[in-house]
Amino acid sequence: GVNPVEAVFVPKKKLTLEETNGEDVSKLYLETDELKVFLNTVDAHRNIMNRTLIYTIAFTGMRPGEAIALKYEDIDLEKKSIRINKTTYAKKSLRGDFDLTPPKTISSIRTVDIDDIIVEKLKELFHYRVIREWIVSDYVFGNIDGIPPTVKSLNQTVRRLGEKTL
């Protein structure tokens, strides 16, 4: 039979990270094998929120700012979809110091389907957050204090993980 992992990693979209203002901080274009290796490195990363965030971006092709802006109301695990209708605009690279704005273009407002692997990872994150008594937050990718990371810090994490991969 087909290895389900192989099926999942059909590179429909290559992982690309960019600042919300369009300046490329670190762009990772990963082919299938590289993506597998990279995600293995991500799996070993201790922060569950970062792991889930990176997986979500890798599997949906959404921009980091869009993923960071996601709220619980945007996610439908039953229908396996995520509604993207906002992004974060960071005034400075201070955590929590950002505005939510509509995405770059009206055509950026969209609903994306999510793979079972992402549904499971999101459930795991939500469950973990409750067990560990993290601060309750509207943000899907809020950290222990409920505040999501900045795009800049996410890029730094991805770059560090990418360096381990090579």
Side-chain angles (χ1 to χ4, degrees):
V2 175
N3 175 346
V5 174
E6 295 294 335
V8 163
F9 283 91
V10 176
K12 292 182 285 230
K13 305 178 189 75
K14 297 175 182 181
L15 183 66
T16 153
L17 285 186
E18 55 178 284
E19 281 282 13
T20 47
N21 62 10
E23 286 173 30
D24 299 341
V25 176
S26 63
K27 270 208 169 180
L28 290 179
Y29 290 110
L30 299 173
E31 300 301 338
T32 318
D33 296 340
E34 293 176 294
L35 183 59
K36 261 190 257 189
V37 173
F38 175 68
L39 290 178
N40 283 340
T41 309
V42 173
D43 288 334
H45 181 63
R46 58 189 161 61
N47 182 322
I48 187 172
M49 192 283 302
N50 277 339
R51 287 199 309 266
T52 314
L53 176 53
I54 292 167
Y55 259 86
T56 302
I57 291 168
F59 277 81
T60 61
M62 68 177 84
R63 295 185 188 93
E66 293 172 334
I68 287 167
L70 286 176
K71 296 191 171 184
Y72 280 95
E73 67 202 32
D74 301 321
I75 292 190
D76 189 332
L77 294 180
E78 296 297 304
K79 288 191 179 132
K80 298 186 193 171
S81 67
I82 294 180
R83 174 103 175 118
I84 300 165
N85 56 18
K86 55 189 165 299
T87 189
T88 53
Y89 172 72
K91 296 186 276 293
K92 299 186 186 69
S93 286
L94 295 173
R95 232 163 51 86
D97 182 27
F98 60 83
D99 292 327
L100 292 178
T101 62
K104 282 188 195 163
T105 61
I106 295 301
S107 63
S108 297
I109 295 176
R110 64 205 186 276
T111 300
V112 296
D113 295 326
I114 48 176
D115 289 280
D116 290 336
I117 189 169
I118 300 302
V119 171
E120 287 312 308
K121 288 196 175 292
L122 287 169
K123 283 182 180 168
E124 197 186 325
L125 174 63
F126 301 162
H127 184 64
Y128 180 92
R129 187 177 270 140
V130 171
I131 290 174
R132 295 296 176 103
E133 298 181 349
W134 283 17
I135 285 177
V136 177
S137 161
D138 285 345
Y139 289 101
V140 172
F141 297 111
N143 233 319
I144 189 164
D145 56 4
I147 301 171
T150 60
V151 171
K152 188 177 179 189
S153 73
L154 173 63
N155 272 318
Q156 286 164 346
T157 301
V158 167
R159 203 182 290 118
R160 268 202 319 277
L161 293 170
E163 281 162 6
K164 285 184 193 172
T165 302
L166 303 174

